[in-house]
Amino acid sequence: MRTVVEDLVGEAERVIRDRVWVLTPADRVVAAQAATDLDATMVTPQTQQPLLEVDRLAHLREAHAAVAIALAHVHGRLAWFLGAAFTPLTPVLHWRALPDEDGPTFGAVAPTPAQYTEAEDAVRRLQNALVDISTT
């Protein structure tokens, strides 16, 4: 997850630098709002890790929703970037933090602590990239 987001951000940085993607004022506004929304979902790694798994998962799902909302408001390269960023975060939709208590889970799985950390790092990297896009 983290590697896919990192590669995606690297590609975005290259196409912006090479002027293949010329950011519009609207792109910057949406990127800034998405960055703010993502920032609101994550706290520092030192604060995030001690949280209960159910709270960490809620934050990750909120981050995923923030990307989806931003995606709904744009077209063109920013939409393509956000859509590509949305995809590697989708496993959080299939994670569960609560025990199954011998009932159906509808395919939900309990992630490992490392998977939580990786997803949170990916969200933070995406948030930083959106800050950069909004100020470029």
Side-chain angles (χ1 to χ4, degrees):
M1 194 177 299
R2 182 180 21 220
T3 302
V4 173
V5 169
E6 187 62 47
D7 290 347
L8 176 64
V9 168
E11 180 181 354
E13 291 169 346
R14 279 189 301 281
V15 296
I16 290 169
R17 182 185 58 242
D18 295 345
R19 311 253 327 130
V20 172
W21 179 7
V22 178
L23 295 162
T24 67
D27 287 342
R28 288 184 181 90
V29 168
V30 171
Q33 183 61 55
T36 298
D37 293 346
L38 288 177
D39 187 54
T41 68
M42 292 287 124
V43 292
T44 66
Q46 298 79 13
T47 307
Q48 193 87 27
Q49 288 186 348
L51 293 176
L52 295 174
E53 289 179 352
V54 71
D55 294 326
R56 289 178 79 180
L57 184 54
H59 289 223
L60 287 166
R61 288 180 178 159
E62 289 170 13
H64 199 254
V67 175
I69 290 167
L71 177 58
H73 294 285
V74 293
H75 302 283
R77 285 192 170 81
L78 184 56
W80 304 335
F81 174 74
L82 291 170
F86 185 83
T87 302
L89 299 175
T90 57
V92 304
L93 300 177
H94 303 287
W95 290 354
R96 63 177 171 80
L98 301 176
D100 65 11
E101 298 181 11
D102 297 322
T105 64
F106 305 99
V109 298
T112 66
Q115 287 174 306
Y116 277 112
T117 300
E118 182 175 350
E120 292 158 353
D121 289 347
V123 169
R124 286 186 194 91
R125 181 62 181 111
L126 178 58
Q127 190 269 338
N128 289 333
L130 289 165
V131 167
D132 292 344
I133 287 171
S134 70
T135 59
T136 299

